[in-house]
Amino acid sequence: MTVLGWRALVGIIAVSGALVLAQVGRVAAAEGNGSLTVIEPDGKPGAACPLEHTSVKADISGFVARVTVNQTFHNRSEKKIEAVYTFPLSENAAVDDMTMLVGKRVVKGTMKRREEARKIYEHARERGHMASLLDQQRPNIFTQSVANIMPGEKVEITIAYVEMLPYGDGAFTFSFPMVVGPRFIPGAPRGSSGTGWARDTNQVIDASRITPPVPAKGKRAGHDIDLQVAINAGVPIRGVDSKLHEVSTVRKNESLWLVSLSDKKEIPNRDFVLRYTVAGEQVRSGVLTHRDGEEGYFTIVMIPPKRVKPDQVAPKEMIFVIDCSGSQRGLPLEKAKETMRYVIDKMNPDDTFNIIDFNYNARALFSEPKKNGRENREKALRYLEGLRANGGTWMGPAVETVCKSPAAENRLRIVTFMTDGYVGNDFEIISLVKKLRGKSRWFPFGTGNSVNRFLLDRMARVGGGEVEYILLNSPGKEVAEKFYRRIASPVLTDITVSFDGVTVEDVYPKAVSDLWDGKPLVFKGRYTKPGKGRVTVRGFSGGKPYEQTLEVNLPDKDTANEALGSLWARAKVDDLMDGDWMGMQRGAPPAEIKEKIVKVALAHRIMTQFTSFVAVEETVVTVGGKPTRVTVPVEMPDGVSREGVFGGEKKRGWTFNLKGSYEPSKTRPARAVYPKSNDTRSIPYTGSPVHTGIPAAAAPAEQSPERVREVRQYKAADKEPDRPEGLKDGTVQSRDESGLRTAAVNRKLSSELRKVIDLAEKKGTPVTFVHGNIKVTEGKITVQARLTGSSEEILKKLEEAGLKIEFKASAGSTVIGVISVEKLKALAEIPAVLLVEAVTAG
């Protein structure tokens, strides 16, 4: 045992997050008390159905945390219901227990293969048994289903996980996510398998299971949260700091503190982030062990050397990537800009740099990295100031833009990637960074109070760098200075680990990249034979050889530290997933990898993408037919713009036309203006929600070298107009005059499209030509259509008119597809079509 004061960790954890109750009909948030009102299919208000409360308890000992989260919700309706809720957990959590409490009946969950667990649950639901099912969609997103909750019944779900806390700069950090932020979903829609606002796509097959709905503007999701943390650091605690929540603290002794939320009914719309500083000189390397049977587990924590200031700072190529999608609108983007300005100002004289911003497409400031000179820095700062948040988070093209050209031979490329990480294709992005980065080092910056920490952590891990989180009330200067201390020189390079005198297996991580921060090196492994020996870490510190040796004793029996088995199993699963991230994204990794993940998970009772917890109450059979599914929204994350994600709230008016009927007012396509440049081009409107964006392939081409915009002014299109009462979906009532009907159709076609139609008719046969920045290939053109809705019936009519749909905004009424020019008028004649525009080629 070590001086850290490690002790046996016993208990379970439960998770808070976003409750999703799904009902046949819809749900509206009630005023005042935060409860939710079920709206029945006939449109009449039903009974309130609140998630009453979430209670979180964390027990921290040394580097290890055990958390219990208990969620209670109450069926106040007169029908039995099935509740489905989506919630986040720590991205590093090993979830190893679930229990269900109904009245005084406790049902312990069992771990099964995901498909088997689903069958057990559905069978129990159909037979009228109380049952619960816990699925993992991402390492940090989970779905809980509870069937057959009787009227007036209360149900409590408790989920348990264990994790190791990050340590650096003399402090530990415990973070607890409270809300699943809205994800950008790329790909063509393929129906829905969950209760979320997005449809599943060919790129994100579970989109409907990771996008819980949010309440209407000004409304509450209906539940609150309290949280308590017991810290037993094993060394004196100098102080605690919670930047996003007010907390109360009780100091039991110098190493044991109790921390709790001051507001016992806190709204769960931002992460809880607790940082506690310890007497750094007393935190030393150590070994934890556990063996209660044939297999033993160990975790080795090795404190790295102090940073050595290099004699000479090597020149670097600094690539600054900044997310300008809709979810960054407002304070998140401004915080990213603030931090980036400090980073740019602190570059070394010999560094080169470039800025890449992205939303629906990636754009570079320079055609290639430029020398850090006054003129280039001033141009960069003006460019940065002009950035605005709008559109979708097409992160893949940004990664590809960074990596498409190799870094200079004499320079190390450092990539800073500022984003909230709100994408559904997490695994694909990780795969791209791993595949394309070469020798570059990636340093993601999570900007916001509830960012996607899983994606950002893994980007740093596969990118050979470190991650940093910029809370919206964090000083950008502090973050920037910490970043430059990191990249001035690594703490340790060329790291290797060896074991002497002991037999160990499956030690993770298998390979360690350069250590850029003063955080500990942590190794998790297992052993079958007890014994004594040594573990040695070697590397280079400040260009000189470094070696640290630690005596280890792997005992024949040690019942303490039971959590080590779960931590090791989670590390092994992470390593297996690293073998094929794209397969994980598609839900179909190689059969061999999947089977290995399943075997490890079942043996250690931990959650994975392919294993689930299921619990069935067999003694009671409910009555009253099938349960009603109820959907309850989650909070919008604190600091995230609703308009930036889902589009503006402002209504566009309706006009009374010459035909004696109502129709939407004519709208102008959004344009980007580039002052001090001759480059002015159309930007296709991305539809609603704005966050969904358009495919990268359809976005404008990159700008000409050096001729970049320094200010971007968007005339953002508003959300879909409200139809006047009595006007049918998408119809434009007209008299029979053919001229008026033609005029109505023409109004739906952009002026540029009408010119293309005229040119095509003059040329006759299907031809290939370019008109401005619109390209026609063999008589076909790519267009974007805005619709009154996105029902299957409307999509079918579009296809019958000749439109081959290639993209549909996951939560909006915008589609992109290819169609013959000669069929454009037929497309515009469809009542549900509001506007048709060309997708520009550049």
Side-chain angles (χ1 to χ4, degrees), residues 137-141 180-187 197-212 323 325 327 358 392-396 419-431 452 454-455 577 581-587 609 691-692 810:
Q137 316 301 346
R138 297 289 185 276
N140 62 339
I141 302 179
V180 176
R183 265 41 176 187
F184 165 72
I185 306 297
W197 54 260
R199 296 176 67 188
D200 300 334
T201 73
N202 60 335
Q203 292 186 46
V204 187
I205 63 171
D206 59 352
S208 62
R209 298 196 294 273
I210 62 173
T211 54
D323 181 352
S325 64
S327 64
F358 72 96
T393 316
W394 285 94
M395 195 175 290
T419 179
D420 52 28
Y422 284 163
V423 296
N425 58 332
D426 318 51
F427 298 154
E428 180 182 3
I429 300 305
I430 297 167
S431 178
N452 184 359
F454 161 67
L455 173 61
M577 291 181 68
W581 286 108
M582 281 303 296
M584 298 297 165
Q585 184 70 62
R586 294 188 293 266
Q609 198 172 350
H691 195 40
T692 55
S810 56

Side-chain angles (χ1 to χ4, degrees), residues 753 756-770 774-783 801-804 817-825:
L753 273 186
V756 168
I757 293 173
D758 291 341
L759 288 173
E761 289 176 349
K762 291 178 181 178
K763 294 177 181 293
T765 59
V767 291
T768 298
F769 65 92
V770 176
I774 300 175
K775 185 175 182 180
V776 177
T777 304
E778 296 182 353
K780 295 183 178 181
I781 186 172
T782 301
V783 298
L803 181 68
K804 182 180 179 182
V818 177
I819 190 172
S820 296
V821 174
E822 61 185 16
K823 295 183 179 180
L824 281 171
K825 292 183 178 180

Side-chain angles (χ1 to χ4, degrees), residues 558-637:
D558 185 353
T559 57
N561 306 311
E562 186 179 4
L564 296 186
S566 296
L567 291 172
W568 172 84
R570 173 62 192 263
K572 183 172 179 64
V573 168
D574 288 347
D575 181 74
L576 289 168
M577 291 181 68
D578 194 49
D580 186 3
W581 286 108
M582 281 303 296
M584 298 297 165
Q585 184 70 62
R586 294 188 293 266
E592 181 182 2
I593 292 179
K594 179 179 177 179
E595 189 60 26
K596 287 181 178 179
I597 290 175
V598 169
K599 286 183 177 179
V600 171
L602 293 177
H604 295 81
R605 290 186 87 247
I606 67 167
M607 292 287 299
T608 70
Q609 198 172 350
F610 308 111
T611 54
S612 301
F613 273 112
V614 62
V616 178
E617 169 56 83
E618 297 282 0
T619 61
V620 177
V621 179
T622 63
V623 295
K626 293 183 179 180
T628 299
R629 181 173 290 172
V630 185
T631 302
V632 175
V634 305
E635 301 289 351
M636 275 296 292

Side-chain angles (χ1 to χ4, degrees), residues 80 121-131 147-150 616-627:
K80 67 176 179 179
Y121 173 79
E122 291 178 347
H123 181 62
R125 182 183 61 193
E126 298 305 312
R127 293 172 58 196
H129 291 295
M130 180 78 69
N148 294 315
I149 307 174
M150 294 300 291
V616 178
E617 169 56 83
E618 297 282 0
T619 61
V620 177
V621 179
T622 63
V623 295
K626 293 183 179 180

